[in-house]
Amino acid sequence: MTSIKITASATTAAPPEPTGTMVYVLAGRPLHRGADLEQTAVFNDDVWPLGPALLRADARPLTLDFTALPTAFRPAAKRLHQVLLAAADLPLGETPLSIASIRTVFTDLKRLFTWLERRQHYTLAEVTRQDLEDYHADLITARMSGNTSAFHRRCVRMLWVYRDVLDGEHLHHDPYLLPSWQAWERARRSHRRGENSTERIPEEVMGPLLTWALRWVDDFATDVLAAGAERAAVDSRPPAGPHVPTVLAALLDTYRARRAPLPTAPASLGLGSAGRRVPNASYLARLLGYRRGRLSGRVEKELIEQVAAELGLADDSYLDHIPQAVLDGTPWLTRISYYEVPRLQQLLQVACWITVAYLSGMRDSEIKHLRRGCVAVQRDPTGRVYRHRLHSLAFKGEVPAGVPAAWVVTAPVARAVAVLEQLQPPGRDFLFSPLASAVRHQIAERADRVAGCDTTNKHLAAFVSWTNDYAAARARHDVVPDVGGHPFRLTTRQFRRTLAWFIARRPGGVIAGALQYRHQSIHLFEGYAGTSDSGFRAEVQAEDALARGQYLGDLGADSDRPRLVGPAGAEAEQRLANFARHTVFDGQVVIDEARLRRIIARHDPGIYPGAFVTCVYNADRALCRTNSTIPAGPELGDCRPLACRNTALTSDNLAAHTQHIAELDRVLALPEHLAPYVRHRLNQQREDSVDFLARHAPEPI
């Protein structure tokens, strides 16, 4: 990870006193830049806004509204949440909670307090063991997820654990000592941690989705940016003059000179009646720098109607910019409406998000903290750019304010960032701040706020909807297809896992013959992970292990295939036979991913498929292990298959060598294009390959 020196963006106030109605409840919490502790909530307030302590730009505004709780339980709730926010002098075994988790505690306790009120309990001291057993049964019927249910129970127990600070208003029984609670906890712990349940984006969806995103970034962006600049200029235009009829007549004369029909408003604005188009006086007013209703006078209406009768009406209020981008030889749009610009800008922004997310491996929170100037380039002595480095903040497992991190990315990501920098006005630092044209009145109360993941999920759905509507209207076939008869529901979390899956496997699940792709994966590992702390390398390795398990299971189950040959061919067969005992039942390979992952973890045969070699890995004789910092396992990108004793060969490997020899023959047949040294090296490579096949191929390929 590249180290970046940044200015601290948070201020920390002194911890609060343990009691007192005028204590600032956020004292002791780091506050975002510009927040004033004296303007934050005090204990006496019934509503505690938590926004000043939310340090992430993509965090949603959170509030503790104690008026939503039953009156009898508000004092205990306030005292508990004051202690949780202070995060100091916690009971033994308790750890500080994030602001978001504290808000979840509030929600969970609200459920408990409401339930107690329905049972006519008005103090926590009245709650009996049987009440807690009954509430436990009620939680089970709620059908929460395991983690959600566990946290909910932890919140209930806080009313006993924090009894020393609740001034007598606390539970008198530890819920965790009750039989039903203990049985539930034992059952939960007996289950292994669940597999990553995030759904991967199907290949048939991801392909066209990325294609359209890159079209927006590389082709459509210029038109959208130009249209956005024209719209912004119209919106900021000063009044054309004090005498409205005179300046209106001059504007209408420009339409006469161009023989251009007058603009009309789109139906979505509700102007006109019964589907009848009328001149868009509101847009004409904007062109003159006036407010919306300034052209509603009798004289102005007569002037507009006269010219409309002469020139006719357009079907919208189009900007002057004529789209330049083409798609398959045809302009992608003929004109751009003033009112369509916000939608197009939003689509362009989410297209940039798709490009960055899928081609970088960054989490949504990391993408949302990209700032202007976040791309740094490295050049060779000739000035050619050979590396793009993307800087942001990482939050997973880090301090609440995040830590600087860097990702090596490819040129399309850098181009997407450049587009985002142009989408935002000069004063906007965050590249995913709400767009000025997309907000009715004001961009945002704070300049350091960005869209959350829920908003981005909605924008992803809108991007797919626009793409398919656009393609259908033009009889195009490159749509983003439905899955199971319905549009696939895209979420921000899916892109990172899908990329990890794709790096580990070639499209279609074929991993044999992936040497070139593994060269690419080495480059991706270097940059997409930023550092190993990001966890992305581990995700890719987990997907790679699963892909190997599926491939090797099929290989071991195929009794009709040719046996593996080569220096390690016999050893490969032994390992495959042993692996098949665990993965193959009645001739079928285990297809349950969770089960297969466990089998691989316990019985990994150490066989790695490649294009020219199937590596039967033994560290003591591996020729690719020249760098001690390389993780355990082979580096197929540095494989020396003709010399390494770990080499085993499948029929596909042998075919790849044969094809390589044929390619060498084709090149060597062109003597005028080869320098003597190059010809010598290629001849030597061909001889080595032919000799290798002669020694190891059971019969000519």
Side-chain angles (χ1 to χ4, degrees), residues 214-500:
L214 290 173
R215 283 173 178 162
W216 277 86
V217 171
D218 293 330
D219 300 327
F220 305 162
T222 301
D223 290 327
V224 176
L225 293 171
E230 184 178 342
R231 176 186 164 113
V234 169
D235 290 344
S236 61
R237 190 167 293 172
H243 192 253
V244 177
T246 300
V247 295
L248 174 60
L251 173 65
L252 295 174
D253 284 342
T254 65
Y255 279 89
R256 284 194 178 99
R258 292 178 293 152
R259 304 306 299 169
L262 293 188
T264 59
S268 60
L269 294 184
L271 302 180
S273 59
R276 182 174 60 89
R277 292 208 306 267
V278 297
N280 190 352
S282 175
Y283 181 65
L284 293 174
R286 288 179 183 274
L287 294 177
L288 296 172
Y290 295 146
R291 294 190 304 273
R292 178 175 178 175
R294 191 68 184 275
L295 303 184
S296 58
R298 180 181 60 81
V299 175
E300 290 81 2
K301 286 183 177 180
E302 289 179 354
L303 284 172
I304 293 172
E305 290 173 359
Q306 178 183 348
V307 176
E310 177 184 342
L311 301 176
L313 296 174
D315 57 0
D316 208 326
S317 299
Y318 293 111
L319 298 171
D320 292 337
H321 174 75
I322 303 299
Q324 302 298 307
V326 296
L327 185 59
D328 296 336
T330 304
W332 74 294
L333 294 175
T334 54
R335 299 291 298 274
I336 296 178
S337 166
Y338 170 91
Y339 300 99
E340 185 68 7
V341 171
R343 185 188 185 198
L344 295 179
Q345 288 181 321
Q346 192 64 75
L347 291 167
L348 178 57
Q349 189 181 51
V350 76
C352 293
W353 187 96
I354 292 169
T355 302
V356 175
Y358 189 69
L359 298 181
S360 74
M362 299 173 74
R363 294 182 174 89
D364 179 63
S365 60
E366 296 159 349
I367 297 173
K368 295 298 177 56
H369 285 79
L370 292 174
R371 295 173 178 264
R372 193 178 297 276
C374 59
V375 173
V377 299
Q378 294 174 271
R379 302 177 184 271
D380 62 18
T382 67
R384 181 183 65 87
V385 175
Y386 68 88
R387 178 169 294 165
H388 300 85
R389 195 176 292 273
L390 192 60
H391 297 274
S392 184
L393 295 177
F395 297 91
K396 183 74 171 182
E398 306 292 352
V399 296
V403 298
W407 291 257
V408 175
V409 296
T410 50
V413 176
R415 295 197 298 270
V417 170
V419 169
L420 289 167
E421 290 175 335
Q422 296 175 75
L423 262 179
Q424 295 292 350
R428 286 279 160 174
D429 194 21
F430 282 108
L431 300 184
F432 284 94
S433 289
L435 298 172
S437 62
V439 180
R440 291 180 180 274
H441 304 294
Q442 206 171 1
I443 295 180
E445 205 172 302
R446 283 176 50 193
D448 57 351
R449 292 289 93 186
V450 299
C453 63
D454 290 343
T455 299
T456 302
N457 291 340
K458 294 177 183 177
H459 291 164
L460 289 169
F463 184 85
V464 172
S465 177
W466 181 93
T467 297
N468 290 344
D469 290 345
Y470 180 91
R474 291 158 178 79
R476 298 181 61 90
H477 300 291
D478 50 350
V479 298
V480 180
D482 290 350
V483 176
H486 303 281
F488 184 79
R489 184 175 178 271
L490 293 166
T491 67
T492 58
R493 297 182 61 187
Q494 295 165 341
F495 287 79
R496 177 181 169 95
R497 189 178 187 210
T498 304
L499 177 62

Side-chain angles (χ1 to χ4, degrees), residues 115-163:
W115 186 87
L116 290 174
E117 186 179 52
R118 288 199 301 268
R119 292 175 70 108
Q120 298 184 349
H121 288 317
Y122 301 105
T123 67
L124 292 174
E126 299 175 22
V127 178
T128 66
R129 294 174 181 269
Q130 187 58 50
D131 290 326
L132 293 172
E133 295 277 17
D134 293 345
Y135 188 66
H136 169 78
D138 188 69
L139 290 178
I140 293 176
T141 62
R143 303 180 66 85
M144 302 177 182
S145 69
N147 289 337
T148 300
S149 186
F151 190 80
H152 198 108
R153 286 165 168 78
R154 179 186 174 190
C155 295
V156 175
R157 189 172 187 251
M158 285 180 181
L159 298 173
W160 181 82
V161 173
Y162 286 79
R163 58 193 179 281

Side-chain angles (χ1 to χ4, degrees), residues 74-97:
R74 290 177 193 173
K78 277 192 169 186
R79 284 191 290 271
L80 175 62
H81 285 86
Q82 180 194 14
V83 175
L84 294 177
L85 288 169
D89 298 326
L90 300 177
L92 185 64
E94 291 294 298
T95 57
L97 298 178

